[in-house]
Amino acid sequence: MNKNNNRILVNGNHAVAYGVRLAQPKVVPIYPITPQTPIVEKISEFQAAGEMVVELMTAESEHSAMAACITASLTGVRVFTATASQGLMLMHEMLHYASGARAPIVMFNVNRTIGSPWGFWPDQTDSLAQRDTGWIQYYCEHGQESLDTVLQAYRVAEKVMLPAMVMHEAFYVSHALDIVEVPAQEMVDQYLPDFNPLHRLDPEIGESWGNTVNQEMFYRHRRDLGLAMESVINVAQEADLEWRELTGRGYGIIEEYCCEGAELVIATMGSMVGTARDAVDNLRKEGVPVGLIKVKLFRPFPFEAVRQALRGVPKVMVLDRNFAPGTGGFLHQELKAALYGLERGPAIHGYLTGVGGTNISPTNIAALVREAMSTQPVTSSVWKG
Amino acid sequence: MKMGYQINEEKVFNSGHAACPGCSEALAMRYIVNTLGPDTIGVVPPSCIAIISGPQPLSSMRMPVYQTTLEASAASATGIARALKAKGNDHTKVVVMAGDGGTYDIGFQSLSSAAERNEDFIYVCLDNEGYMNTGSQKSSATPYLAYTASTPAGKQTPKKNLAEIMAAHRIPYMATATTGYPEDLARKVAKAKEMKGLRFILVLAPCLDGWGLADNAGPKVSRLAVESGVFPLYEIENGERYTLNYGSKGTPVSQYLALQKRYRHLNQAQIEEIQREVDLEWQRLQRKLAT
Amino acid sequence: MKETFKEVPSIWTTGWTDILNTGTWRSAIPFYQKRLAPCHCACPVDGEIPTWIMLARKQHYREAWSSLVDNNPFPAVTGRICHHPCEGACNRREYDGAVAVNALEQFVGDLALSEGWALPQPTVALDQKIAVIGGGPAGLSCAYQLKRLGYKVTIFETRPELGGVLRYGIPSYRLAKETWDGELRRLEALGIEVKLNHSVKASDLSGLEKEYSAVFLALGAQSSKTLPQFSVDNLRVFNGLDFLEKVNRGEAPPLGQDVVVIGGGSVALDVAGTARRLGSQVKVLALEARESLPAQPDELTESLEEGVEILAGVMVQNVGISFETLSLHCIRVTLDENSPAGVLRPIPLSGTEFSVSATNVILAVGQDAELTGWDSVINVGQSLVRVDANLATNRPGIFAGGDVTPAERFVSTAIGQGKKAAQSIDKYLKKPYSKGISSKDTQTSQDVVAYQEINMFYFPEQNREEKGTVAVEERLKNFAELKIGFSPQQTQTQSERCFSCGNCVECDNCFYFCPDMAVVKDSSLTEHYRILDQFCKGCGSCVQECPRGAVVLKEETGR
């Protein structure tokens, strides 16, 4: 199953770099920002050592880096970039531009708090605040998943022609060492076909891109983009299944963990899932009927999958390491919307845990589970440290 | 002595575009793209150039053109240039055609960075000295005392000297040009086409509506800009070697100003002040030419 | 939302803008039009000056010569002696000096002689015979044009040789005999019948009318005016025309040391120059003030260089005759400004009397036509034959032109009149007689291109050159030509100075300055260019950038 595999001890960011190397992008615009810099540094090392043949463009800002990604992608080559927090904010205009251009860029974003005030701490608000930009979004739990998801993301993005961003959190994943299996190049080449878009900037074709359109064209364009986004549900699942066949590792678009007979299911994303897994194991040992769903694919939101997973479950406790003033936790809000009208749908507690990067331990989570099980939920997200 | 201009053109620029009658930018675009030929990819930010590029699904240029956001022209061009290089394509040219707003102001950061990295494309700034597409607002390219909708009493600060700024980046080639001298413009584009690295051409393109000119006055006004010393045509190679092509003939700057409604509010003292400034700048350029 | 219409792709282009009709934007369209250049307007032979100068510039000299001889069979002659009103009207005068049209004409004319180019033979042979009375410039020009049209032509000439003033009046230092001979021989080679030593009187007219379909009277004005102060019997007094003719025949009369010429025109100065070359000191006395002398300015300069003394604003009141000399008692005068045109009324300034002594006096005070008897057959008024705008006399089939009619007394004017008469005769014979004026090229607009319409940017300053002149000491030794024509290099640089007003030279500026590429080059059209109706927005850049006003903007109505 995994011939010629290579198990290495690396931090999450470097794991991503290994994944990118396997994808063989041709143009990588880079700009440093804590805590993603090790990704682009590692890629630079690969290039300098001749292990990657890639045009590295040291942009003067993330906005320019994304601008270059779009055009390089439209010229018909695979591209990659990485950023975090402020950099992602600065790119915001271009994120919309990229999805509107149907450019299948894959970007890695290390979730970090957004100023002001300044901080470098794990917090998913930066990428979640981009949920409306038309990008596919994946949230990863650990370095291996980040590596695997980068490759799945290229496969999905290039199939539906939409850009994709893959996330893991600052320091907890980005800088934490882990054992990671690096798949063989030949296997990845099998998995990822050559990128050869039908429409591109090419004097042999002569097509231009970017003219002002009328209202009717704009409407159709948005509708087409929406349809492409919807199709990601199936495409992502297929991509993940095939990956599992090739490597033995699959993640699904959501994962249900110990949900059999659960009275309460924890719902969360990213590194918090890892902590919650421990909490669930501990609680189950104590006989508490608790389960966990990990939302991996956040955009498009897997409505059907979560509805199916949570039908008949009495309670859901959402743990959000993120926060939007006025609505609360993002997953809390999205889940409520997804579950609206579901017969025998759960009551939902929304807890804000770890906003700003505060440490949440399995013990904290266990306590929250007990509290949630014995209280009535309120509409808004509740601050829980 | 030959009878007239002789300019070789390939048919890349199409008629039927939406430029105003007599538009200087359209005239400049004709010589830029017809000199570069169809094996070129263009990058155009929001500007009159974008409007002239065509209404969807039509294009006014028989070459691929990508329209980008206002600040990102140079970064977008970089992406294309790098992608072409990665594909092993060393013949397709990349050209930016941007207005002064997207070059002097919001686009300056990405331009400066691309110049520092000496990215391989040609950047042409079509300078009509203001944000004309949105109705004539001031940009840092607007000259001293000119009227714009956002400086109705006349702009109080001088025009940024972008030619010198770009030359200070030590790019291989920087040239100024204008539409009243089409053969000179085409020659400079042809020269840039044969070079590598970041080549920058600053084209003064009088805006008929924004400057308040008659429909047929574009080339005439641009020549007065040169002959009065307001906008000399010269080249700087590698930030050091200066070559003057067409310079001041000593025509009083008042003749240049008199044709433009945007200077109608000037009094005699202001005109004299402008004359002094123009003379000083011309002398500065001459000193650089001499070294 | 409607789903039924064909969906236009929302991103990526599929075609080009040249299917769009931006021509609907305009309200005026450029129009290529050959317009009158001021030189052409002023030329007495209606010469297409911008056209032949452009051909000379391109070194298509043969074609330039063909254009010249369309209107005038003697370009080597006019290139020497024409009074060049073209240069006076030239738009370049205001800029950095008129184009040296006259010198350029001389170069082409001389080249034709040295290359031996022949005038084209007529392509048709008509039956009608035309009689031309007078073999001077008007008569020769008329005969030439009629011959080209295919008519049989007979010239009746009083003198032993053809030419009139060209042979007998103009000194050879202005027009070398070889040059004149060359021009004449070429014309004779067309096969015109010539009867020399044959005078025609008024009584011969009815006889001529029977034999010939039309008659052109080009009798000239060969009767010298006299002055009452001078007796016609005095052997020391000559009339100017007579004197010049004798010199041209090689029979120069003996002159004393002090010759006085009376008169201020070209004939007077020709007489003065001739007398200088024969060895005399010469004074010229003229009624007109120095600034108003009718002679050409360069003729005046040359005379002064040759040591001729000009006494302007002077009248001879009476003459004292002695054995050796004549004493001319003179007084200074001014001319009455209110006298009718052409009439000189001197007002003596009392107290300014002085005397001049002369061994000979030569009168050059004007010429009259010799029309005794003619007033019984045709209308004669004020000693000139009366003609209408077509140069027809009141007698059907009888036409007249040149110095015998009220025309300006210039050789080129006479040549122009000869041509015009030929055209009138042709129309008279081919259709019912109409009073319509022969049209110029109908395509040419009647408005003349003004200096303000020339775009000076395209014409860097370049000085006008003049013909060279032989050094004065050399000149006075003989009757060789005093002016030196242009070299080929001078011809090249000087022809490049021509703006070519109103005449497109295919410089392609209109083509290059159109932002919409709506000007297309089309060599199959006489206009050379075509405007694309679908794209022209009517901005007028082409009109503004045409250096020479050859394209104008016309309002479009009723589109």
Side-chain angles (χ1 to χ4, degrees):
Chain A
M1 199 159 45
N2 292 313
K3 276 192 283 202
N4 303 324
N5 63 357
N6 196 4
R7 289 165 70 85
I8 53 175
L9 182 69
V10 281
N11 64 38
N13 278 347
H14 285 177
V16 170
Y18 278 93
V20 173
R21 185 173 78 169
L22 289 164
Q24 300 184 74
K26 292 284 160 247
V27 175
V28 174
I30 59 181
Y31 192 82
I33 182 167
T34 305
Q36 65 85 357
T37 312
I39 303 178
V40 297
E41 279 179 346
K42 197 69 182 163
I43 293 175
S44 303
E45 279 175 41
F46 287 150
Q47 192 237 27
E51 292 166 35
M52 261 181 99
V53 176
V54 63
E55 287 290 323
L56 279 184
M57 170 217 173
T58 51
E60 82 293 348
S61 81
E62 291 92 344
H63 187 284
S64 290
M66 182 50 62
C69 279
I70 298 169
T71 49
S73 179
L74 288 182
T75 307
V77 301
R78 191 171 283 155
V79 303
F80 175 79
T81 193
T83 192
S85 175
Q86 308 304 123
L88 188 64
M89 298 305 104
L90 188 56
M91 280 182 180
H92 181 78
E93 178 192 25
M94 302 316 279
L95 298 181
H96 278 283
Y97 215 76
S99 63
R102 307 295 298 269
I105 302 164
V106 170
M107 169 165 68
F108 205 93
N109 182 73
V110 179
N111 289 127
R112 172 192 137 183
T113 47
I114 316 171
S116 58
W118 288 115
F120 311 96
W121 320 123
D123 185 312
Q124 296 159 332
T125 310
D126 60 353
S127 57
L128 288 169
Q130 310 308 318
R131 58 188 166 155
D132 301 326
T133 57
W135 281 61
I136 301 164
Q137 290 198 3
Y138 288 105
Y139 288 82
C140 300
E141 192 184 332
H142 51 78
Q144 179 74 70
E145 185 179 6
S146 296
L147 186 158
D148 292 338
T149 308
V150 163
L151 294 165
Q152 289 194 19
Y154 274 112
R155 166 90 169 236
V156 175
E158 289 172 10
K159 183 105 199 273
V160 305
M161 296 304 268
L162 282 176
M165 58 173 87
V166 184
M167 271 59 75
H168 63 213
E169 281 138 275
F171 301 108
Y172 290 159
V173 184
S174 68
H175 285 65
L177 290 173
D178 211 344
I179 296 179
V180 163
E181 198 169 277
V182 181
Q185 184 67 63
E186 300 78 52
M187 192 220 80
V188 174
D189 292 343
Q190 217 184 313
Y191 181 72
L192 273 189
D194 274 345
F195 177 53
N196 218 356
L198 186 63
H199 294 288
R200 56 178 189 270
L201 296 171
D202 187 339
E204 309 233 336
I205 304 176
E207 291 177 324
S208 292
W209 188 93
N211 274 337
T212 305
V213 302
N214 66 23
Q215 300 95 311
E216 191 271 333
M217 291 178 197
F218 205 96
Y219 161 90
R220 270 193 287 121
H221 183 252
R222 296 304 287 172
R223 186 197 61 194
D224 293 344
L225 199 158
L227 289 170
M229 183 61 90
E230 278 173 39
S231 73
V232 169
I233 302 286
N234 290 337
V235 174
Q237 283 174 312
E238 269 171 41
D240 183 68
L241 267 171
E242 195 177 318
W243 187 257
R244 186 194 293 270
E245 277 165 37
L246 288 169
T247 62
R249 296 186 299 277
Y251 307 87
I253 57 176
I254 67 170
E255 182 195 329
E256 292 170 65
Y257 182 70
C258 292
C259 289
E260 292 270 317
E263 296 272 318
L264 181 143
V265 170
I266 304 170
T268 189
M269 304 195 293
S271 69
M272 189 75 72
V273 173
T275 320
R277 276 188 218 275
D278 276 2
V280 165
D281 288 344
N282 295 339
L283 286 166
R284 277 287 186 176
K285 283 198 190 100
E286 292 168 32
V288 179
V290 65
L292 163 69
I293 64 163
K294 164 184 173 178
V295 177
K296 180 196 168 78
L297 182 72
F298 180 78
R299 269 294 174 274
F301 197 82
F303 296 122
E304 279 316 308
V306 302
R307 284 165 83 94
Q308 202 172 335
L310 296 173
R311 185 176 283 114
V313 171
K315 272 197 175 169
V316 170
M317 181 181 87
V318 183
L319 299 178
D320 270 312
R321 192 191 279 280
N322 56 72
F323 168 67
T327 50
F330 285 75
L331 185 59
H332 182 201
Q333 185 202 17
E334 298 260 342
L335 208 55
K336 282 192 284 187
L339 298 176
Y340 185 79
L342 180 65
E343 330 98 37
R344 303 186 292 122
I348 309 176
H349 289 269
Y351 292 153
L352 297 165
T353 50
V355 171
T358 53
N359 190 34
I360 304 295
S361 66
T363 317
N364 295 141
I365 295 181
L368 290 172
V369 169
R370 291 199 169 88
E371 186 189 320
M373 279 175 128
S374 59
T375 53
Q376 285 299 317
V378 295
T379 323
S380 20
S381 310
V382 182
W383 289 96
K384 289 294 185 190
Chain B
M1 189 178 85
K2 64 177 165 70
M3 279 305 309
Y5 298 119
Q6 255 139 30
I7 309 176
N8 288 333
E9 294 180 83
E10 300 194 59
K11 293 190 65 155
V12 179
F13 194 50
N14 300 318
S15 311
H17 59 69
C20 294
C23 172
S24 304
E25 289 200 346
L27 192 60
M29 284 166 77
R30 168 178 172 175
Y31 290 107
I32 296 163
V33 304
N34 284 355
T35 303
L36 291 173
D39 189 20
T40 310
I41 299 178
V43 174
V44 173
S47 52
C48 288
I49 307 153
I51 305 303
I52 299 170
S53 295
Q56 183 64 14
L58 305 173
S59 173
S60 63
M61 290 175 265
R62 280 175 150 81
M63 71 187 210
V65 175
Y66 169 81
Q67 288 187 39
T68 182
T69 53
L70 189 52
E71 68 287 79
S73 301
S76 303
T78 302
I80 299 174
R82 296 299 195 110
L84 289 171
K85 186 158 172 231
K87 286 166 92 167
N89 175 335
D90 61 356
H91 51 85
T92 302
K93 308 293 167 202
V94 180
V95 66
V96 172
M97 288 181 285
D100 51 283
T103 303
Y104 285 67
D105 293 348
I106 192 172
F108 186 65
Q109 178 184 310
S110 59
L111 171 59
S112 176
S113 174
E116 178 269 326
R117 296 190 306 267
N118 201 22
E119 297 287 346
D120 190 21
F121 62 85
I122 302 172
Y123 191 110
V124 184
C125 174
L126 297 181
D127 185 357
N128 54 25
E129 302 189 333
Y131 289 87
M132 296 309 176
N133 191 30
T134 44
S136 174
Q137 287 84 31
K138 161 251 174 185
S139 80
S140 58
T142 305
Y144 181 53
L145 292 180
Y147 165 90
T148 65
S150 51
T151 56
K155 180 166 174 265
Q156 295 302 307
T157 49
K159 180 185 175 100
K160 205 193 266 194
N161 191 337
L162 190 62
E164 289 297 329
I165 292 170
M166 290 317 297
H169 286 69
R170 300 214 174 273
I171 51 177
Y173 186 65
M174 192 307 294
T176 60
T178 186
T179 45
Y181 300 76
E183 202 174 57
D184 178 73
L185 169 59
R187 177 186 70 83
K188 287 167 173 162
V189 174
K191 183 169 173 178
K193 181 180 175 183
E194 298 309 310
M195 300 169 86
K196 293 267 175 219
L198 189 74
R199 299 139 274 161
F200 182 79
I201 303 179
L202 182 61
V203 181
L204 183 70
C207 175
L208 307 178
D209 195 53
W211 296 20
L213 305 172
D215 280 359
N216 61 10
K220 181 164 82 165
V221 165
S222 80
R223 287 194 287 263
L224 275 170
V226 176
E227 293 181 341
S228 62
V230 166
F231 193 82
L233 303 185
Y234 60 105
E235 299 164 270
I236 308 178
E237 287 163 280
N238 300 308
E240 279 182 351
R241 207 163 77 103
Y242 283 67
T243 308
L244 180 70
N245 316 115
Y246 294 94
S248 173
K249 285 198 171 152
T251 307
V253 78
S254 54
Q255 278 187 34
Y256 169 65
L257 303 175
L259 292 173
Q260 306 171 50
K261 287 204 187 104
R262 65 176 177 159
Y263 286 113
R264 196 156 282 187
H265 59 283
L266 294 182
N267 60 37
Q268 189 54 36
Q270 288 171 314
I271 296 175
E272 284 165 16
E273 197 188 343
I274 292 176
Q275 182 71 66
R276 282 194 296 275
E277 280 307 312
V278 167
D279 292 343
L280 268 172
E281 273 306 314
W282 175 236
Q283 280 157 29
R284 275 191 203 115
L285 180 61
Q286 304 229 275
R287 286 197 290 274
K288 295 212 178 84
L289 285 163
T291 53
Chain C
M1 279 299 208
K2 294 177 269 223
E3 299 292 343
T4 49
F5 59 87
K6 180 162 171 270
E7 285 194 342
V8 171
S10 55
I11 51 173
W12 297 103
T13 54
T14 54
W16 319 116
T17 52
D18 51 15
I19 57 170
L20 300 174
N21 186 338
T22 51
T24 54
W25 298 18
R26 65 173 185 265
S27 56
I29 193 167
F31 183 66
Y32 289 87
Q33 193 177 51
K34 191 159 122 121
R35 293 170 64 207
L36 273 181
C39 52
H40 179 173
C41 222
C43 176
V45 307
D46 197 29
E48 299 256 358
I49 298 171
T51 302
W52 66 257
I53 292 187
M54 179 53 52
L55 290 164
R57 177 195 183 132
K58 292 185 185 166
Q59 296 175 19
H60 299 330
Y61 298 121
R62 183 92 200 235
E63 286 153 54
W65 184 74
S66 294
S67 171
L68 281 165
V69 298
D70 240 8
N71 298 299
N72 160 26
F74 310 129
V77 171
T78 42
R80 286 165 165 75
I81 59 157
C82 181
H83 62 297
H84 47 73
C86 52
E87 293 186 11
C90 176
N91 272 335
R92 192 135 189 173
R93 224 161 97 106
E94 258 187 83
Y95 183 54
D96 58 0
V99 174
V101 183
N102 183 257
L104 295 174
E105 184 179 25
Q106 182 182 353
F107 179 84
V108 177
D110 284 352
L111 188 63
L113 285 171
S114 64
E115 296 289 313
W117 294 336
L119 292 166
Q121 289 290 337
T123 49
V124 299
L126 300 172
D127 286 328
Q128 290 119 322
K129 286 164 59 177
I130 321 288
V132 173
I133 318 299
L140 290 169
S141 169
C142 184
Y144 165 62
Q145 298 289 355
L146 288 169
K147 190 71 198 166
R148 289 176 81 199
L149 289 166
Y151 294 100
K152 298 184 171 58
V153 185
T154 306
I155 301 178
F156 294 84
E157 168 54 50
T158 307
R159 284 186 173 72
E161 290 182 52
L162 292 173
V165 300
L166 298 176
R167 170 69 184 91
Y168 296 106
I170 295 175
S172 40
Y173 62 80
R174 290 212 182 285
L175 171 62
K177 195 161 184 312
E178 313 84 68
T179 304
W180 167 240
D181 282 345
E183 299 272 84
L184 181 60
R185 267 199 298 279
R186 188 201 294 126
L187 179 56
E188 287 170 335
L190 287 180
I192 298 169
E193 190 185 4
V194 179
K195 293 187 196 270
L196 297 167
N197 297 305
H198 187 137
S199 290
V200 168
K201 300 185 289 296
S203 50
D204 298 324
L205 190 58
S206 41
L208 286 172
E209 280 171 326
K210 292 190 181 67
E211 203 187 331
Y212 296 93
S213 311
V215 178
F216 178 59
L217 300 172
L219 308 173
Q222 310 196 51
S223 177
S224 290
K225 290 193 183 170
T226 53
L227 286 176
Q229 303 90 315
F230 296 91
S231 158
V232 295
D233 295 328
N234 193 317
L235 293 174
R236 275 176 283 171
V237 177
F238 306 122
N239 79 54
L241 286 187
D242 216 36
F243 172 71
L244 290 173
E245 179 167 347
K246 286 195 165 77
V247 174
N248 270 328
R249 285 197 199 195
E251 299 156 12
L255 292 176
Q257 254 306 98
D258 296 300
V259 173
V260 169
V261 182
I262 314 288
S266 298
V267 177
L269 294 188
D270 282 349
V271 168
T274 301
R276 283 292 287 135
R277 282 163 175 76
L278 292 173
S280 304
Q281 295 300 314
V282 181
K283 289 187 175 68
V284 171
L285 302 183
L287 283 177
E288 297 91 341
R290 175 68 71 97
E291 331 55 85
S292 321
L293 289 171
Q296 296 300 307
D298 43 351
E299 292 170 345
L300 188 56
T301 311
E302 286 146 19
S303 294
L304 291 168
E305 283 172 357
E306 289 167 5
V308 171
E309 199 184 329
I310 313 274
L311 298 163
V314 157
M315 183 174 80
V316 177
Q317 288 185 304
N318 54 63
V319 182
I321 302 173
S322 72
F323 183 63
E324 294 270 294
T325 60
L326 300 164
S327 285
L328 306 177
H329 301 298
C330 307
I331 190 167
R332 298 210 177 277
V333 298
T334 56
L335 291 177
D336 183 357
E337 283 161 12
N338 298 319
S339 66
V343 178
L344 296 179
R345 276 200 203 127
I347 303 169
L349 303 170
S350 65
T352 64
E353 292 87 345
F354 65 99
S355 282
V356 174
S357 79
T359 49
N360 301 88
V361 172
I362 309 181
L363 301 176
V365 293
Q367 302 87 248
D368 283 326
E370 176 43 68
L371 286 173
T372 320
W374 285 92
D375 53 355
S376 63
V377 292
I378 53 174
N379 263 356
V380 171
Q382 288 174 302
S383 315
L384 296 167
V385 174
R386 299 270 121 199
V387 289
D388 66 8
N390 291 326
L391 300 181
T393 64
N394 63 315
R395 193 163 165 135
I398 310 300
F399 297 78
D403 287 358
V404 79
T405 61
E408 278 192 304
R409 296 252 171 105
F410 293 111
V411 167
S412 42
T413 310
I415 294 174
Q417 295 228 309
K419 179 179 88 150
K420 185 168 180 179
Q423 288 166 348
S424 297
I425 291 169
D426 183 48
K427 264 177 65 173
Y428 168 74
L429 292 176
K430 284 182 176 152
K431 344 189 234 273
Y433 183 64
S434 69
K435 289 213 173 243
I437 300 178
S438 67
S439 54
K440 287 187 200 265
D441 179 4
T442 46
Q443 299 212 325
T444 309
S445 150
Q446 292 306 304
D447 75 310
V448 181
V449 176
Y451 176 65
Q452 292 72 25
E453 294 177 73
I454 305 298
N455 194 334
M456 291 312 152
F457 175 73
Y458 294 101
F459 301 105
E461 283 195 13
Q462 162 99 44
N463 281 338
R464 169 196 160 99
E465 284 185 65
E466 304 291 342
K467 292 182 198 174
T469 43
V470 175
V472 179
E473 321 78 65
E474 289 303 311
R475 270 150 57 177
L476 292 177
K477 289 181 187 166
N478 53 38
F479 279 75
E481 280 188 352
L482 78 91
K483 285 231 170 96
I484 305 166
F486 275 175
S487 66
Q489 289 77 28
Q490 281 175 303
T491 300
Q492 187 61 46
T493 42
Q494 293 298 302
S495 58
E496 285 171 2
R497 294 180 74 248
C498 175
F499 290 153
S500 194
C501 305
N503 281 258
C504 173
V505 301
E506 295 181 83
C507 75
D508 290 343
N509 264 19
C510 52
F511 167 77
Y512 284 121
F513 279 101
C514 182
D516 294 274
M517 287 81 60
V519 177
V520 161
K521 296 195 240 201
D522 190 341
S523 49
S524 73
L525 300 173
T526 42
E527 297 90 356
H528 309 302
Y529 302 98
R530 215 168 10 103
I531 303 293
L532 294 177
D533 179 61
Q534 184 187 349
F535 299 128
C536 170
K537 294 172 184 161
C539 70
S541 291
C542 50
V543 174
Q544 176 67 35
E545 294 305 311
C546 174
R548 48 195 49 93
V551 57
V552 298
L553 211 53
K554 259 188 11 173
E555 259 195 61
E556 278 185 313
T557 48
R559 288 186 81 227

